[in-house]
Amino acid sequence: MTPAQRSRCMSKIRSKDTKPEIRIRKLLHSLGYRFRLHRRDLPGKPDLAFPSCRKALFVHGCFWHQHFGCKDASVPKSRLEYWAEKFRGNVARDLRSQKLLLDAGWEVLVIWECETSKPDALTQRLVAFLGPSGRAVDAISLKPAGRRRGFAEVCEKPSCQSSNVEDGAVPYSIVKGGSPDGSIGRPISSGQR
């Protein structure tokens, strides 16, 4: 590619409202969650913020944020020094933003672009992180309950009343510290929140 062609291609890459982000927003909305987008008053401008429960969600592209062990986190073959510095800066900025959010009393979850292609596993992670929504979620199928005349049905099952998807479930990307594998945090039990 010529420099002009490369510049045109790179200018079309968006930092917000990406396909993975839109996928997650649609999923969360269908599950009954409500959120704020790209809050500038929070460190790192999380893609989705849930102010009532002080939780923030980042949707990271595997290439740009270098998802450790992912096939999509390749490094270009030309201008190696430039790309190494660019990726190092992105990862450092991500960790800095997440630490600032943690210090401010927020919980953080990172969803990687490659994870958005598996909706069932993604739904489980999101429900485990966010807890019950305003709309009842069937803990067995993890699909939103049906609606009647515009009102959400209330689920009477004990499993829907707790914030865990199932007993003993451990959300594995809730930040409580750094992780060498590139994910955001180590597993925590629901009692440590």
Side-chain angles (χ1 to χ4, degrees), residues 30-97:
S30 73
L31 291 171
Y33 294 100
R34 300 301 177 257
F35 42 83
R36 299 286 172 253
L37 300 176
H38 312 290
R39 292 245 331 239
R40 290 182 178 181
D41 60 329
L42 293 175
K45 293 188 280 184
D47 297 309
L48 303 165
F50 303 85
S52 61
C53 56
R54 296 183 66 82
K55 295 185 180 189
L57 194 142
F58 290 94
V59 182
H60 285 332
C62 296
F63 175 76
W64 293 106
H65 297 269
Q66 289 296 287
H67 185 196
F68 183 77
C70 180
K71 65 177 176 59
D72 297 329
S74 62
V75 178
K77 292 181 173 45
S78 62
R79 299 182 62 198
L80 292 176
E81 297 85 25
Y82 168 80
W83 286 107
E85 185 59 34
K86 173 78 173 160
F87 294 145
R88 243 190 320 275
N90 287 352
V91 172
R93 185 181 63 240
D94 293 341
L95 292 175
R96 193 170 45 249
S97 299

Side-chain angles (χ1 to χ4, degrees), residues 134-160:
R135 193 169 167 194
V137 175
D138 183 354
I140 308 280
S141 67
L142 291 173
K143 293 189 176 163
R147 290 186 164 252
R148 275 190 213 154
R149 296 187 197 123
F151 295 100
E153 292 180 12
V154 178
C155 182
E156 299 296 331
K157 295 179 187 175
S159 60
C160 291

Side-chain angles (χ1 to χ4, degrees), residues 2 4 9 19 21 24 32 40 45 65-67 78 89 102 114-115 140 160 166 184-185 191:
T2 66
C9 286
K19 286 180 184 178
E21 186 181 329
I24 289 175
R40 290 182 178 181
K45 293 188 280 184
H65 297 269
Q66 289 296 287
H67 185 196
S78 62
L102 286 173
C114 62
E115 294 174 317
I140 308 280
C160 291
E166 56 187 51
I184 338 261

Side-chain angles (χ1 to χ4, degrees), residues 156-167:
E156 299 296 331
K157 295 179 187 175
S159 60
C160 291
Q161 303 301 322
S162 71
S163 63
N164 290 337
V165 176
E166 56 187 51
D167 291 335

